[in-house]
């Protein structure tokens, strides 16, 4: 096997080659109306970039939206985001705007008149980026520093992220404190649109919806330390709560295919792990059950109740990077340490979701959702179109 040093030199040579090609592509002019959009390294079009792209397509058809994606997408011109493909680098180097929610696969140097808007992909509960240097490779940190130097605007969803971004991301540019575009629908989606989503999922319109969205246990040195399965007894859930609730399972793709749902209750328990838009699921849910996923920061926008099913808190907290907050006193909802406690909360709803609980939730929202007005995509698009008119 190649040593780490040899691998590092190979990667640096590849970076040099890619950026040399990018430099040559500067002979082509920047198109002032071209926007290059990418999310999660081109694996899908989702999250904040998706909603900016949608807004531009609907309200600013004069803008040419190019999506970095490995498959074709209806309604969009796509290009495979392979740094060794000339057409990808061409569109990247000739687009006036870059919209992304992750680091670039390779650190690429943009041109001085290009504008890079980094939306990121969630409020951080566990330590990330340069707050977790010991957990990240030297190569990643090198690329992250270069990437941060290229960013012109960093989108912030709340005061906490505004405070931490300069040091955590090694970023000294401008913050766009407009909220997350992906959360616009949590405010704007109509009852009719919600019903259409429920109908498309074959949901019972008369039963409350619980969305179960745990994080993926991928950070342990010993994978056997963490459960990678469902962690809820579906038979027991159906027997105890099937009359009142239906359950949506939003699991990581690595484990979602292993879940088998008994035909007896498949009309009430649905595996929605591959549903293309998690924000739509948040929008229709009456209750969120999660653990350490950043989903709960988004769901707080709805002011609906949450349960935190932290059955492996010590393992997850202590074997990963640590949290920014004291978990037990921070999360805006009751904590269940095992399935019995989880079911007890559901059975004794009124004991937990009192006026005091909603005051706690309001205080949480005051810190973490005040930038969310339902107009984030609109404000980002306005910034872009005003810059585009200036050429």
């Amino acid at each position: 096997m190649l040593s780490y040093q040899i691998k590092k030199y190979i990667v640096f040579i590849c970076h040099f080659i890619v950026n040399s090609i990018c430099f040559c592509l500067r002979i082509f002019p920047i198109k002032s109306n071209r926007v290059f959009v990418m999310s999660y390294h081109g694996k899908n079009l989702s999250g904040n970039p998706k909603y900016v792209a949608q807004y531009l397509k609907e309200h600013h058809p004069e803008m040419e939206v190019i999506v970095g994606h490995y498959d074709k997408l209806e309604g969009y011109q796509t290009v495979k985001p392979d740094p060794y493909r000339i057409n990808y680098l061409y569109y990247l180097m000739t687009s006036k705007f870059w919209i992304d929610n992750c680091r670039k696969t390779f650190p690429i140097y943009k041109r001085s008149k290009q504008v890079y808007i980094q939306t990121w992909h969630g409020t951080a509960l566990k330590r990330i980026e340069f707050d977790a240097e010991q957990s990240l490779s030297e190569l990643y940190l090198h690329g992250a520093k270069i990437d941060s130097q290229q960013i012109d605007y960093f989108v912030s969803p709340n005061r906490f992220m505004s405070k931490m971004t300069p040091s955590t991301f090694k970023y000294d540019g401008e913050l766009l404190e407009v909220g997350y575009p992906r959360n616009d629908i949590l405010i704007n989606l109509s009852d009719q649109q919600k019903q259409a989503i429920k109908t498309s999922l074959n949901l019972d319109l008369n039963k409350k919806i619980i969305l179960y969205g745990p994080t993926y246990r991928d950070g342990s040195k010993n994978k056997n330390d963490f459960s990678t399965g469902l962690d809820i007894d579906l038979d027991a859930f159906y027997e105890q709560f099937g009359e009142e609730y239906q359950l949506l399972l939003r699991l990581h793709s690595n484990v979602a295919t292993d879940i088998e749902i008994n035909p007896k209750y498949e009309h009430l328990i649905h595996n929605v792990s591959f549903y293309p838009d998690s924000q739509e699921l948040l929008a229709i849910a009456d209750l969120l059950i999660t653990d350490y996923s950043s989903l709960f920061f988004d769901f707080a926008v709805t002011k609906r109740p949450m349960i935190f099913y932290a059955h492996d808190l010590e393992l997850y907290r202590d074997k990963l990077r640590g949290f920014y907050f004291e978990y037990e006193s921070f999360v805006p909802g009751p904590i269940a340490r095992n399935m019995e406690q989880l079911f007890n909360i559901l059975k004794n709803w009124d004991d937990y979701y009192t006026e005091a609980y909603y005051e706690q939730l309001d205080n949480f929202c005051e810190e973490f959702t005040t930038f969310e007005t339902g107009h984030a995509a609109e404000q980002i698009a306005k910034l872009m179109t005003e810059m585009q008119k200036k050429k």
Side-chain angles (χ1 to χ4, degrees):
M1 293 180 64
L2 294 175
S3 70
Y4 176 77
Q5 285 298 322
I6 294 176
K7 287 181 181 179
K8 184 172 73 171
Y9 290 135
I10 291 174
V11 170
F12 281 134
I13 290 170
C14 292
H15 289 181
F16 176 78
I17 293 171
V18 168
N19 277 288
S20 296
I21 295 172
C22 288
F23 184 81
C24 294
L25 291 170
R26 294 182 179 215
I27 62 171
F28 297 100
I30 296 171
K31 293 195 66 173
S32 63
N33 68 328
R34 179 173 286 168
V35 185
F36 194 95
V37 176
M38 190 158 66
S39 58
Y40 299 110
H41 308 293
K43 294 177 182 177
N44 54 51
L45 178 60
S46 61
N48 296 314
K50 170 187 174 180
Y51 284 93
V52 175
Q54 282 186 347
Y55 190 89
L56 290 172
K57 291 280 287 184
E58 183 176 350
H59 298 279
H60 296 282
E62 75 279 6
M63 301 296 278
E64 179 191 8
V65 178
I66 309 294
V67 177
H69 196 277
Y70 283 98
D71 298 308
K72 292 183 178 180
L73 292 173
E74 185 177 351
Y76 292 100
Q77 180 179 347
T78 61
V79 58
K80 291 183 179 180
D82 181 343
Y84 301 108
R85 296 175 70 98
I86 296 295
N87 64 337
Y88 164 63
L89 298 177
Y90 165 77
Y91 281 113
L92 203 59
M93 298 311 295
T94 58
S95 294
K96 173 68 175 178
F97 302 97
W98 296 356
I99 309 288
D100 211 325
N101 70 350
C102 287
R103 299 294 193 182
K104 291 281 186 280
T105 307
F106 274 7
I108 292 177
Y109 294 92
K110 68 180 179 65
R111 299 160 75 170
S112 60
K113 293 186 178 180
Q114 291 183 298
V115 179
Y116 178 10
I117 302 174
Q118 174 58 254
T119 71
W120 206 240
H121 48 266
T123 298
L125 174 63
K126 65 176 181 281
R127 295 186 179 277
I128 60 171
E129 295 294 299
F130 290 92
D131 290 341
E133 288 187 69
Q134 71 283 358
S135 303
L136 300 171
S137 72
E138 179 187 349
L139 289 174
Y140 178 86
L141 294 171
H142 172 76
K145 284 181 181 178
I146 295 174
D147 188 71
S148 287
Q149 291 166 2
Q150 308 305 304
I151 298 170
D152 296 284
Y153 298 95
F154 204 112
V155 176
S156 172
N158 50 57
R159 287 193 288 263
F160 167 70
M161 287 296 285
S162 291
K163 293 174 187 174
M164 67 174 284
T165 293
S167 61
T168 301
F169 291 89
K170 301 295 184 189
Y171 171 72
D172 59 2
E174 187 169 343
L175 293 171
L176 291 181
E177 295 180 322
V178 298
Y180 274 161
R182 71 187 190 192
N183 288 339
D184 288 349
I185 70 164
L186 300 182
I187 297 172
N188 301 328
L189 207 64
S190 68
D191 290 339
Q192 185 177 4
Q193 290 171 314
K194 291 177 185 177
Q195 183 163 327
I197 295 170
K198 294 176 185 178
T199 301
S200 71
L201 291 168
N202 296 317
L203 301 184
D204 187 332
L205 301 180
N206 297 313
K207 293 184 187 294
K208 292 180 181 178
I209 299 170
I210 296 175
L211 175 63
Y212 177 49
T215 196
Y216 178 58
R217 272 69 172 164
D218 62 348
S220 174
K221 293 179 181 178
N222 176 8
K223 292 185 178 180
N224 293 325
D225 283 345
F226 293 106
S227 165
T228 55
L230 181 57
D231 302 314
I232 290 180
D233 185 329
L234 297 183
D235 291 301
F237 178 89
Y238 174 72
E239 294 298 330
Q240 296 184 50
F241 304 107
E243 291 297 317
E244 185 176 1
Y245 298 107
Q246 51 201 324
L247 182 64
L248 306 185
L249 308 175
R250 183 72 171 184
L251 309 174
H252 192 280
S253 58
N254 286 6
V255 300
T257 53
D258 297 330
I259 302 302
E260 293 185 7
I261 298 177
N262 191 318
K264 179 176 69 173
Y265 46 70
E266 62 183 3
H267 62 294
L268 289 179
I269 300 177
H270 306 264
N271 187 351
V272 295
S273 303
F274 297 100
Y275 188 79
D277 193 331
S278 61
Q279 301 309 108
E280 291 185 0
L281 300 176
L282 292 175
I284 65 172
D286 298 292
L287 168 70
L288 174 68
I289 299 175
T290 188
D291 45 17
Y292 326 112
S293 168
S294 64
L295 278 177
F296 77 89
F297 289 101
D298 291 358
F299 192 69
V301 174
T302 70
K303 297 288 185 78
R304 298 180 201 139
M306 298 175 250
I307 300 175
F308 293 84
Y309 185 22
H311 56 85
D312 55 358
L313 175 59
E314 289 80 14
L315 281 172
Y316 192 86
R317 178 189 59 208
D318 300 338
K319 293 207 173 186
L320 280 177
R321 309 169 197 170
F323 295 144
Y324 284 106
F325 311 97
E326 187 62 41
Y327 184 86
E328 292 92 334
S329 60
F330 173 73
V331 295
I335 298 173
R337 297 305 308 271
N338 54 54
M339 196 172 67
E340 181 180 355
Q341 291 180 7
L342 175 65
F343 285 5
N344 183 66
I345 294 169
L346 288 173
K347 286 178 185 175
N348 300 285
W349 183 273
D350 293 337
D351 294 340
Y352 292 91
Y353 297 100
T354 62
E355 184 176 341
Y357 167 74
Y358 286 101
E359 287 180 5
Q360 176 195 10
L361 183 57
D362 284 341
N363 291 335
F364 180 88
C365 291
E366 180 63 27
E367 179 68 18
F368 292 97
T369 69
T370 47
F371 296 166
E372 304 287 3
T373 64
H375 300 285
E378 177 185 353
Q379 292 185 69
I380 293 171
K382 181 180 179 182
L383 171 71
M384 294 166 63
T385 53
E386 287 178 350
M387 295 182 74
Q388 185 262 334
K389 289 175 184 176
K390 295 177 183 178
K391 307 296 184 184

